[in-house]
Amino acid sequence: MKSTNTKIYIFIGLLLCSFSASLAQEKESIGALETDRPDATEASSTVPQGYLQVETGGFYQTFEKNQIKTENFTYNTTLVRYGLSDNFELRLGWNLQEDVTHINGQKLDNVLSGFSPLLLGMKVYITEEKGWIPEISLIGHVFLPFTASTDYRPETTGVDFRFSLAHTLSEKSSLGYNLGMAWGNDSPEASYIYTIAYGYSISEKFGAYVELYGDLPEDSQANHLWDAGLTYLVSNDLQLDMSFGTSITEGQDLLLSAGLSFRLPINNNQ
C-alpha cells in the first residue's frame, strides 16, 4: 500500500506543478486535430478548450518463444480527451482485448478476454517551441484495478507519467519524443519509458512516421521496439491511420494497427 501511495503522490505533484506553470501560456487558434495515435509517442499538443476528441482503433500482436505463440487482439483501444482549457485536457481510456495461446500449433482453451483497467489522466501544456527549446507537455495516468475484467485485473494501481516534447525540423517534418516512468503489472519495479518519432507530411492529407520506443525496467531486461505508419486527414476533425511494427529485442513478433480519430465541439460557444 505504501508503494502505491507514493506513486500516486508523485503523479499528482508533477501534474499540479505543471498545471500552475501552464496557466499563463497562450495557444494558437484551432487547426487540424493532432492525435496520440497510432504511434507510441504522445503528442505535445492538447485538445482545444470545449472540444471532445475520441481516438479509437484495433491492434493485433503476436509473441512467440519456444513453440509457444500468444496472439493479442485489442478490439477497441479507445482514448477520450476533453479540453478543459487550451492548456489542460482530461483523459479517459479503456481497452477491450483477448489473448489466445498456441503450443506447438495447438490452440489452448483458456482464452483470456475482457476489459483492461480504466485509464484516468491529464495532459498539461507547459511551453511552446522557441528556438532550440521544444514544445513541452506533461502527461500522467492512473490505471484503476477494480474497473478491469477478472482476466486482466491487477492487485495494485498502475501509474505512469511522461514529458512529451516536439521539434519542428522543416515545413514538412517534425520530431517528437517522450521520456517518463511507469509502475504496473503488480510490480514495485519502476520502468523508464522512452519514444522518438520522425513525422513527415507527404501532402496536405497524407502523413507518415517511423518510430523507436521501449522501456527499461530497473531490474529486468530492456525492451526496444519500432513501428511505422500512415495517417490520412479526411477533414480537420477526422483522421484515419494504420501502422505496423515489431521488436528489436526479443518479444513482439508483429504489430498491426488501424483506427480513426475525430473531434467534436461540445460547447455551444465554440
Side-chain angles (χ1 to χ4, degrees), residues 23-236:
L23 292 178
Q25 300 293 329
E26 295 183 359
K27 303 288 289 295
E28 296 180 357
S29 60
I30 184 171
L33 82 172
E34 296 184 47
T35 67
D36 285 347
R37 62 163 298 123
D39 55 3
T41 300
E42 309 277 26
S44 55
S45 59
T46 52
V47 173
Q49 181 178 4
Y51 280 80
L52 186 74
Q53 187 161 307
V54 179
E55 305 177 10
T56 186
F59 284 86
Y60 172 73
Q61 302 176 83
T62 62
F63 306 84
E64 187 167 3
K65 184 177 181 180
N66 298 328
Q67 303 300 314
I68 300 176
K69 179 180 179 180
T70 301
E71 294 180 293
N72 171 255
F73 302 87
T74 304
Y75 298 113
N76 186 7
T77 173
T78 298
L79 175 66
V80 179
R81 305 164 59 191
Y82 174 68
L84 199 61
S85 74
D86 280 339
N87 302 302
F88 188 85
E89 72 175 45
L90 299 176
R91 300 160 66 86
L92 177 70
W94 217 359
N95 295 345
L96 175 62
Q97 60 193 75
E98 179 178 277
D99 290 303
V100 179
T101 302
H102 301 260
I103 298 180
N104 294 322
Q106 298 296 316
K107 178 181 175 180
L108 301 186
D109 293 331
N110 58 332
V111 175
L112 305 180
S113 63
F115 286 99
S116 63
L118 183 72
L119 171 155
L120 291 177
M122 293 173 272
K123 182 190 290 189
V124 184
Y125 187 88
I126 299 175
T127 184
E128 63 184 13
E129 184 178 4
K130 297 178 182 177
W132 61 271
I133 299 176
E135 184 176 63
I136 304 174
S137 291
L138 176 64
I139 307 169
H141 301 125
V142 173
F143 301 84
L144 305 178
F146 64 89
T147 62
S149 301
T150 302
D151 288 342
Y152 298 107
R153 184 175 301 160
E155 295 184 1
T156 59
T157 302
V159 174
D160 70 30
F161 74 88
R162 67 178 68 192
F163 288 94
S164 177
L165 307 96
H167 286 281
T168 301
L169 301 181
S170 70
E171 185 178 344
K172 289 191 173 185
S173 63
S174 62
L175 188 70
Y177 49 102
N178 295 174
L179 296 170
M181 296 181 69
W183 293 263
N185 298 323
D186 288 333
S187 171
E189 179 183 21
S191 181
Y192 300 93
I193 53 179
Y194 76 91
T195 75
I196 182 167
Y198 171 77
Y200 184 80
S201 297
I202 301 172
S203 67
E204 291 186 359
K205 296 291 186 180
F206 281 99
Y209 79 90
V210 61
E211 175 185 50
L212 176 67
Y213 64 102
D215 61 89
L216 297 86
E218 289 180 319
D219 302 314
S220 306
Q221 182 179 352
N223 302 294
H224 304 290
L225 308 94
W226 72 271
D227 67 339
L230 294 170
T231 60
Y232 177 70
L233 192 66
V234 179
S235 70
N236 276 356

